[in-house]
């Protein structure tokens, strides 16, 4: 169990480094000596994560292209740490279905915008047959419709945009909260 967690963590770190590279440099704050300074401390803006240009402008993927699901999964992993933004579907922030919409659209795959509509449009996939890039649908409210979606990335893990105030994150399917709320799995990319 411990070795599996180490390999999962190593995989995620490797993929994030591979996808984003070293894009930031350390910020050096000026040294203020003693109480003689009347100036307030310098406030630096939070660094903005830089995503690879390929995330935004990639050639259209066709049904014959190998690895579409893997590409969807890698793009989802590259968004880990981006902010949740209700109604968001761009690099400023995402809601759950906006993240799915953005990733697919970047690959030239048009999909519906809401989690419920994405589930209706998806080809059903058995949980035991999940592949990277497949979608996981959850019911997280009292409503009878699907209210949340995530992207399966392999090894029992998924990426999703949880809620206001949180960042896009990686979770496992046996998560105490999301596991029991899984109501469907499916695939939206061509050639499936």
């Amino acid at each position: 169990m411990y070795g599996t967690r180490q390999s999962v963590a190593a995989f995620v770190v490797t993929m994030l480094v591979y996808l984003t590279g070293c894009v930031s440099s350390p910020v050096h704050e000026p040294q203020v000596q003693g109480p003689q300074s009347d100036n307030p401390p310098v406030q630096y803006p939070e660094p903005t994560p830089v995503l690879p240009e390929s995330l935004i402008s990639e050639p259209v993927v066709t049904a014959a292209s190998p690895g579409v699901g893997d590409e969807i999964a890698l793009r989802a992993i590259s968004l880990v740490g981006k902010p949740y933004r209700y109604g968001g579907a761009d690099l400023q922030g995402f809601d759950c279905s906006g993240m799915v919409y953005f990733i697919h659209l970047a690959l030239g795959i048009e999909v519906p915008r809401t989690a419920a509509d994405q589930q209706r449009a998806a080809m059903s996939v058995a949980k035991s047959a999940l592949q990277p890039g497949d979608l996981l649908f959850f019911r997280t409210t009292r409503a009878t419709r699907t209210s949340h979606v995530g992207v399966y990335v392999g090894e029992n893990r998924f990426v999703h945009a949880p809620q206001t105030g949180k960042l896009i994150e990686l979770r496992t399917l046996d998560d105490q909260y999301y596991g029991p709320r899984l109501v469907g799995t499916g695939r939206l990319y061509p050639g499936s």
Side-chain angles (χ1 to χ4, degrees), residues 90-136:
D90 58 38
L91 294 175
Q92 298 303 308
F94 299 91
D95 64 14
C96 63
S97 60
M99 181 188 75
V100 169
Y101 177 83
F102 175 82
I103 291 168
H104 284 77
L105 192 60
L107 294 171
I109 305 166
E110 291 189 38
V111 301
R113 178 59 181 84
T114 68
D117 288 341
Q118 289 169 355
Q119 184 178 22
R120 280 190 283 279
M123 179 187 81
S124 183
V125 174
K127 186 177 175 185
S128 61
L130 282 170
Q131 296 293 316
D134 289 345
L135 302 181
L136 307 172

